Structure formats: structure tokens, C-alpha cells
Amino acid sequence: MRSEDIAKLAGVSRSTVSRVINNYPNVPAATRDKVLKVIEQHHYEPNSFARALAGKSTDTIGLFAISMNENADASRIYQNSYFAPIVDLVVDTANAQGFYVLIHTIYSPGDFQKVKQAFLQKRIDGGILVGTQKDINFVSDMVGHGAPLVLIDYDITEIIAERLDKNHLSIINSRDYEGTVEAIEYLIKLGHREIGIIKGRMSTFSGRERYLAYESTMMKHGLPILDNFVLAGDFLKESAYREVLNLLHSGKLPTALFCSNDAMAVSAMEALMEHGVHVPDDISIVGFDDALLASHVSPKLTTVRLPIDDMSKAAVEKIIELCQSGQSAFSTASFPTRLVVRDSCKTPAI
Amino acid sequence: MRSEDIAKLAGVSRSTVSRVINNYPNVPAATRDKVLKVIEQHHYEPNSFARALAGKSTDTIGLFAISMNENADASRIYQNSYFAPIVDLVVDTANAQGFYVLIHTIYSPGDFQKVKQAFLQKRIDGGILVGTQKDINFVSDMVGHGAPLVLIDYDITEIIAERLDKNHLSIINSRDYEGTVEAIEYLIKLGHREIGIIKGRMSTFSGRERYLAYESTMMKHGLPILDNFVLAGDFLKESAYREVLNLLHSGKLPTALFCSNDAMAVSAMEALMEHGVHVPDDISIVGFDDALLASHVSPKLTTVRLPIDDMSKAAVEKIIELCQSGQSAFSTASFPTRLVVRDSCKTPAI
DNA sequence: CTGAAAGCGCTTACAG
DNA sequence: CTGAAAGCGCTTACAG
């Protein structure tokens, strides 16, 4: 069933059928109704490709999740407490606005090619890029083609430094720095002075922000940053487990440990508990993200809530705006985090 | 940049460019290389819509998740331990085969329309439908249009009963019945005789299977099925919490409780613990799914592992096969579950 | 208000 | 081996 068939059945031309479909004003109600009736009767749907070819938008946005270093079990990306809710919310928000979403994950640099293709082949009106390791060159490429792009969790200074044409670009961030400050100051207020950290992947904007905030807050309060209390990490639980084990073997523990995300916090707790170190009696733990798990482990994890809902929704709204308005100025939005106090912290024993 | 531009630059016709792109055999290596060089130089990508219009496939499959009754917080669908890994694996498997995936969730009957459109507008080559409440009429519709469709978790007898043209249809299931039997017999072997159940949503194939298996296994072993030990549930944690509370108030507990999924099992444990009933000392709990949470709660949950990986991969492979082969016979695959014994069950106290 | 026609960017018989 | 031409199913100036 094509528009031509509808036209014949309704006794009009394809032009008129098209006008009805696209809600042109210059169609008399009578004609419109007549056409609409035929369309409904036959469950006609205009071929989306033909429409797109003829210049209409695709009503599809892309969602690309980058997860390059997450080695071995890389396919678990959506179970990752960070990606899952973003995918969730982006799909829902976009669907609610009448958009489909095309998803592709990026596990290797080669996958960037597929994403670029999605743009160049005009499969989508615009795209949202989320995840760490956003290659600045890739971003330049995309932006160069004038494709609307929204970046979630991206260091703005990098964009500025590249002097990109930022017309079709928008960045959505969370205020991780402030969230971390709040968490560290909460520990300090509880009476902690020896506060350690498990770092996130430092190639990541959030990884860096969370670490920097830790550092500067400690310094601001005149507290020492001890090398052996600064543990490396990459946001994955294995790294945290390993580092905490090392820490345990060193014999000396901090009274509190800030973990750059919940996955690592939970894993740290496990390592600690297994060695008879009790949380929060012997050591306080705070995480970051407020993942699903945080409220289910025991003790329930005190953590910094990431405004993933706000960010995801904002990303969709922004990309749709960029797609529709043809052009608009570079914009940035940054959403606040919130400390969620549960049961994994207490005043340190003397 | 269009194929015409490439043709000019390479000194050939569009036809030849197209032949190169589509890997036709009848192009001399020299010509092919010449064209390929120009294509690469200019980062040319053929417009996907034009290709699709001209008869090529879209290289896109649809993934539609139905989640109708999950009331209030329905947008959490991808965090749902059941959907998240499916989305994950379907996207990855499809991507690896060079397919994009178009996602849409179905929260209301109206959303079925959007999914139907995705097919009718030819946005996708075929689709995977997952989630409960698959409207048989909807399925009929789809199948009627000859659109390749894979159903995950669907009662085959319904399809048979409808006498559908099953040529472009495939069903992927898990052996929930056998998994439940294994779980219940494990409890019986531990010495339990008073085994209760929290049911899943009975409008669901898995909900029914899990209940029926419980019922028949109990009967087979001559054990009583007591009305007050058969709790209603809908796969969501709230229902389990509420039902267990009621059970607690009734004063009489079974020695073991089979929960139709992990979300409910975890919630049941919480309700129990909060009332001083210890798991597994006072009551044994077994779940179903082996969700991420299962190994992180305390005590770690004994549960039946759903073969989600196998199912998701099989679904993608099947849909791609259906899309490519034009036609193929109706097929069904059913993957085995596996009991994962952890710490939430033990021999009942006398 | 409405139709004929051109055009969107490809693919693929067809003819040579 | 290769080009000219028709066709895929729409949209949208253009002309009336």
C-alpha cells in the first residue's frame, strides 16, 4: 500500500494525500476526512525511508554508549549501574516524544566507525554520546559534519580547547565535584581525619573530578593525603577488591574510605568484611552514584546520588531541540548531586 | 557527497559505484580499487534511506520491550533485572553482526501502535518482542504482514491455537518448569515439607510455568499445598513484601519459601529479617532469575539461573536468519536453567 | 485548493 | 565489463 493507492481510493492526487499526512493547512476539512478515512481503513503508514529521502526528518535519535576498557566482560555494559538507567530513561523520554532510538555500543575504536556511519548514512537526526573515553577527534568529526550531538559527562574545557564549531553541540554534566566535597565534608564532620580514596578511571571526566574534589577538600581542612590511602581504581569492582586487599596487607587502614563509585564501594566492603574489618564500626565507607545495589547491601551504603534521571531527560530534550531548530547556540547544563546518608558511616572509634 | 559525485571523481558511472559498494563480482579489480579509493578519500557513506528505498535491507532490527502493568515506576524497565541484560545482549550481538537496533518500550496498548508503525514504515527488517502481556492479536497482526518476528518467553500453545501463519515467526523460551522442579526438589531433599510459594504474574507464561511446576512437584512428593502458603505476587518487590507481611501476621510460616523471581525473594527476605525471622536459620528462601542482586544480598540468594545470555543471543541470530532467508519454517528453542546454590537455604530446624 | 512534475540518492534489470 | 534508464515511495515548489 503506497500513497498512490490511497490517492486513487480517495479520488485525489498523491500530493493531496501527502498534504493530509503532513498536516498542511491548505486542505479543506472534507477532503482531509475523506483521505484520512481511506488511510485508516487500510492501516496505511508512509514508508519512512521515502519520507526521509524526500527531506523529512527520521524521527530517530542515536544513543551511543562507549565502554572501551571494560575488558573481559565488556558485554555487561547495560547491567552497569551507570549505563542501564541512562539507556532506560533516554529510550522512554524519546519514545514519549515520538522518537525512536537507535542504539549502538562502542567497545573498540573500530566501533566509532559504525557510529559515524549512523550519522553519515542519515539513519538518525542526532545522537547522544555517553560513557568515558569520548575521543575528542571523534567528537570533532561529528561536529564538523554539522550533526547535532549531545555529550553526557564531558569535560567542557576540552571542547573549548579544540575550538570546535559548537553550534550543534550540547553538554550535560553532573556536579561530581560538589558531590564529592559534600561526601568528604560529611566524613570530616563525623570526626574522620584519615580518609582514603579509591580513585576512578582518571582518563574520565568524573574520575578526575571526584579525585580532585577529594584532594582539595582534604587540603582545605588541613588533613593529610597519605599515599597508601590513595588507591588506584577504574570504576570496576575487581580493581577495588584488589586494592583493598593490598591495603589490608599493609596493616594500616584509614578510618574512612571514599570510593569513586558504588560498584567499587560494595566490592571494598566485601573485601573488608571478609577480613574481619567491620563497616561502619571499624571503617566508614561512602560510595558514589547511588546505584540500585547501594540500598540493598548490608550495611546499606551511604553514597552520592547521581542525577541520572535529570541528565538523561535533559539530553533527550536537548537533542530533539537541536534536531528541530536546525541551529542553536552551544549549551551546557550541569545537574546537582545529593548525599544519601545510610548506614555505612559513623564516628570513628578512638 | 552522493554516489554521483563519487562516480564523477572516479571517472565511472553511478552504476559502477553501486556495484563496488555492493560487492558485485563483475567489477575488475582495477576499477574497484579506483572507486574504493575515492570513496575512502571522501569518507563517503551511501544514504541508508535511499538504499532501503531501492530495495536493500535496513540492517536494523527492532527490540520491543513490553512492560504494561508495572505501574508507577514503569520507566524503570531497563533496571529491571530481567530486561536489562536482554537489552544488553541483544544490542551487543546485533551490533557484532553489523546490525543496528531500534528500541521502543511498550507501556500502554497505545504503544503497540508505534511498534506496528516501525514495521509498516519499514524502519526495521524484523523485530524481537520481549516481556509479558504479548497481545496475541498484536502478534497475529505482525505475522500477518509477513514481518519476521521473534518472541521471547511465549506460550507456544497460544500460537498454535491461533493457527497463525508461522512462517516468519520464532519463539525462544527458557525451561522454567524444569528449573522450578529442580529448586523445589532441592528444598525437599534438604528436608523441607512445608514449602510455600510467592507466585509471579499469572498472565505471564513464566508466571504460570513456575507455579504449575511448584504445584506438581509438591503433589508428586505427596506434600501438602496449603492455601495460606501460596502467596499472590506480580514479580515486583512491593507485592512480595506485602504478602510476606500478611504471612507473618498469620503467625504460621512454612519452613521454606520459593519466590517466583529474585526481586520478590530479596524483598521477602527483607520483610522476614525486619521481623526477626532469620534466613536461612528460621526459613529457607529460593529465588528465580539469578539477578545481579542475588549474589550481593546477605545471605546470598540460592536461585535458579535464567539462561538470558543464550536466549538473547539466540533471538538475535534467529531474527537475522529470518530477515535474510526471506522465509523459513517456524522454529522454537528452549534453553535450560540451572540451580545456583548459595546461602539462603538449609535443613529446617526440627 | 489541487495536480503534474521534479527531485531525494540509491539499486538493478536491460542492453550493449 | 559498464552505462543509461527506470524505479523505490515519498515531499514540495510550481503553476493554475
Side-chain angles (χ1 to χ4, degrees):
Chain A
M1 180 110 309
R2 301 155 306 134
S3 71
E4 172 120 42
D5 302 318
I6 299 295
K8 259 180 206 140
L9 290 168
V12 298
S13 71
R14 280 148 70 212
S15 313
T16 298
V17 171
S18 183
R19 286 191 190 97
V20 169
I21 290 171
N22 292 294
N23 250 301
Y24 275 42
N26 54 352
V27 179
T31 311
R32 179 181 305 278
D33 291 348
K34 190 171 55 181
V35 173
L36 243 24
K37 186 163 295 169
V38 178
I39 288 180
E40 271 162 34
Q41 262 173 24
H42 297 267
H43 303 291
Y44 166 72
E45 290 287 345
N47 181 304
S48 62
F49 294 134
R51 300 190 80 187
L53 234 204
K56 287 295 193 184
S57 63
T58 67
D59 293 336
T60 303
I61 62 171
L63 174 59
F64 307 110
I66 311 177
S67 174
M68 299 226 283
N69 287 9
E70 319 227 341
N71 43 21
D73 214 4
S75 72
R76 286 294 84 70
I77 183 173
Y78 289 107
Q79 286 199 51
N80 181 311
S81 57
Y82 180 64
F83 287 109
I86 293 183
V87 173
D88 171 358
L89 284 157
V90 165
V91 171
D92 287 350
T93 311
N95 284 174
Q97 307 246 29
F99 280 74
Y100 290 92
V101 3
L102 191 74
I103 297 202
H104 206 294
T105 40
I106 300 169
Y107 289 125
S108 69
D111 287 342
F112 270 117
Q113 207 48 43
K114 295 296 290 182
V115 174
K116 232 182 259 183
Q117 279 176 22
F119 279 96
L120 294 179
Q121 296 174 348
K122 300 274 155 58
R123 287 173 182 273
I124 54 180
D125 294 339
I128 297 175
L129 198 57
V130 56
T132 58
Q133 287 117 335
K134 297 175 196 70
D135 191 320
I136 185 71
N137 296 316
F138 172 73
V139 173
S140 298
D141 249 35
M142 291 296 79
V143 173
H145 285 287
L149 193 61
V150 169
L151 269 21
I152 294 184
D153 184 28
Y154 206 97
D155 192 344
I156 299 174
T157 56
E158 276 195 47
I159 299 291
I160 309 283
E162 282 284 316
R163 300 173 172 286
L164 293 181
D165 164 18
K166 303 182 289 289
N167 269 331
H168 299 282
L169 190 63
S170 181
I171 296 185
I172 310 282
N173 282 329
S174 53
R175 302 220 184 98
D176 290 16
Y177 192 97
E178 294 161 36
T180 305
V181 169
E182 192 181 355
I184 303 294
E185 296 201 322
Y186 166 71
L187 289 172
I188 293 174
K189 207 161 292 167
L190 281 179
H192 293 277
R193 294 185 51 82
E194 297 182 341
I195 303 173
I197 181 175
I198 305 183
K199 297 199 279 187
R201 202 178 303 139
M202 294 303 276
S203 60
T204 284
F205 181 51
S206 357
R208 291 193 296 272
E209 290 283 292
R210 293 173 195 184
Y211 178 70
L212 291 176
Y214 159 80
E215 203 175 54
S216 74
T217 308
M218 292 295 278
M219 289 170 72
K220 177 176 161 203
H221 289 267
L223 297 178
I225 298 175
L226 303 176
D227 274 1
N228 25 352
F229 290 170
V230 175
L231 314 185
D234 58 6
F235 285 137
L236 300 180
K237 58 182 194 217
E238 291 75 16
S239 66
Y241 193 87
R242 196 186 330 117
E243 288 292 320
V244 169
L245 241 45
N246 285 342
L247 183 65
L248 283 161
H249 290 151
S250 82
K252 176 85 180 106
L253 294 180
T255 63
L257 186 60
F258 170 78
C259 306
S260 295
N261 76 356
D262 286 352
M264 299 199 295
V266 168
S267 192
M269 291 209 297
E270 280 174 9
L272 258 3
M273 307 286 223
E274 283 168 14
H275 287 74
V277 178
H278 196 267
V279 178
D281 294 333
D282 304 326
I283 186 171
S284 290
I285 298 283
V286 15
F288 205 116
D289 284 356
D290 194 20
L292 192 60
L293 215 52
S295 53
H296 283 284
V297 291
S298 144
K300 293 184 177 165
L301 186 65
T302 290
T303 186
V304 181
R305 187 161 190 16
L306 209 54
I308 289 201
D309 293 30
D310 298 330
M311 292 170 70
S312 307
K313 282 185 197 154
V316 174
E317 274 153 25
K318 200 66 205 177
I319 195 67
I320 291 181
E321 182 189 321
L322 286 174
C323 291
Q324 289 174 341
S325 74
Q327 65 163 336
S328 76
F330 173 61
S331 75
T332 275
S334 183
F335 295 89
T337 59
R338 181 167 59 81
L339 181 69
V340 180
V341 175
R342 296 207 181 87
D343 312 328
S344 63
C345 300
K346 64 184 288 194
T347 298
I350 330 100
Chain B
M1 181 110 311
R2 302 154 305 134
S3 70
E4 172 120 42
D5 302 318
I6 299 295
K8 259 180 206 140
L9 290 168
V12 298
S13 71
R14 281 150 69 211
S15 312
T16 299
V17 171
S18 183
R19 287 192 189 97
V20 170
I21 290 172
N22 292 295
N23 250 301
Y24 275 42
N26 55 350
V27 180
T31 313
R32 181 181 303 279
D33 292 347
K34 190 171 56 180
V35 173
L36 243 24
K37 187 164 294 169
V38 178
I39 287 180
E40 271 162 33
Q41 263 174 23
H42 297 267
H43 302 291
Y44 166 72
E45 290 288 345
N47 181 304
S48 62
F49 294 135
R51 299 190 82 187
L53 233 205
K56 288 294 193 184
S57 63
T58 66
D59 293 337
T60 304
I61 61 172
L63 173 59
F64 307 110
I66 312 177
S67 174
M68 299 227 283
N69 286 9
E70 319 227 341
N71 43 20
D73 214 5
S75 72
R76 284 295 84 71
I77 182 174
Y78 289 108
Q79 286 199 52
N80 182 312
S81 57
Y82 180 64
F83 287 108
I86 293 183
V87 172
D88 171 357
L89 284 157
V90 166
V91 170
D92 287 350
T93 310
N95 284 176
Q97 308 246 29
F99 281 74
Y100 290 92
V101 5
L102 191 75
I103 298 202
H104 206 295
T105 41
I106 300 168
Y107 288 126
S108 68
D111 287 342
F112 270 116
Q113 206 49 41
K114 295 295 290 182
V115 174
K116 232 183 262 183
Q117 279 176 23
F119 280 96
L120 294 179
Q121 296 174 348
K122 301 275 154 60
R123 287 174 181 272
I124 54 180
D125 294 338
I128 297 175
L129 199 58
V130 55
T132 56
Q133 287 119 336
K134 298 177 196 66
D135 191 320
I136 185 70
N137 295 316
F138 172 73
V139 172
S140 298
D141 249 34
M142 292 296 78
V143 173
H145 286 286
L149 193 61
V150 168
L151 270 22
I152 294 184
D153 183 28
Y154 206 98
D155 193 342
I156 299 174
T157 55
E158 276 196 45
I159 299 291
I160 309 284
E162 282 284 318
R163 300 172 174 284
L164 292 181
D165 163 20
K166 303 183 287 291
N167 269 331
H168 299 283
L169 189 63
S170 181
I171 297 184
I172 310 282
N173 282 329
S174 52
R175 302 221 186 99
D176 290 16
Y177 191 96
E178 294 162 35
T180 305
V181 169
E182 192 182 354
I184 302 293
E185 296 201 321
Y186 167 72
L187 290 171
I188 294 174
K189 206 161 294 169
L190 280 179
H192 293 276
R193 295 185 51 84
E194 296 183 341
I195 303 173
I197 182 175
I198 306 183
K199 297 200 278 187
R201 202 177 304 139
M202 294 302 278
S203 60
T204 282
F205 180 50
S206 1
R208 291 192 297 270
E209 289 283 291
R210 295 175 194 182
Y211 177 70
L212 290 176
Y214 159 80
E215 203 175 55
S216 75
T217 308
M218 291 294 280
M219 288 169 71
K220 176 176 160 203
H221 289 266
L223 297 179
I225 297 175
L226 304 176
D227 274 1
N228 24 353
F229 291 168
V230 175
L231 314 185
D234 58 6
F235 286 136
L236 300 180
K237 57 182 195 218
E238 291 74 17
S239 66
Y241 193 88
R242 196 188 328 116
E243 287 293 319
V244 169
L245 241 43
N246 285 342
L247 183 64
L248 282 162
H249 289 152
S250 82
K252 175 86 181 110
L253 294 180
T255 64
L257 186 60
F258 169 78
C259 307
S260 294
N261 74 355
D262 287 352
M264 297 198 297
V266 168
S267 192
M269 291 210 294
E270 282 174 6
L272 256 6
M273 308 285 222
E274 282 168 16
H275 288 73
V277 179
H278 196 266
V279 178
D281 294 334
D282 303 326
I283 185 170
S284 290
I285 298 283
V286 14
F288 205 112
D289 284 355
D290 195 19
L292 192 60
L293 215 53
S295 55
H296 283 283
V297 290
S298 147
K300 293 183 178 166
L301 187 66
T302 289
T303 185
V304 180
R305 185 157 190 22
L306 210 55
I308 288 202
D309 293 31
D310 299 330
M311 293 170 70
S312 307
K313 281 183 199 159
V316 173
E317 274 152 26
K318 202 66 205 174
I319 195 68
I320 290 180
E321 183 189 320
L322 286 175
C323 292
Q324 290 174 341
S325 74
Q327 63 164 338
S328 76
F330 173 60
S331 76
T332 275
S334 183
F335 294 89
T337 59
R338 180 168 59 81
L339 182 69
V340 179
V341 175
R342 295 207 182 88
D343 312 328
S344 63
C345 299
K346 64 183 288 189
T347 298
I350 332 97

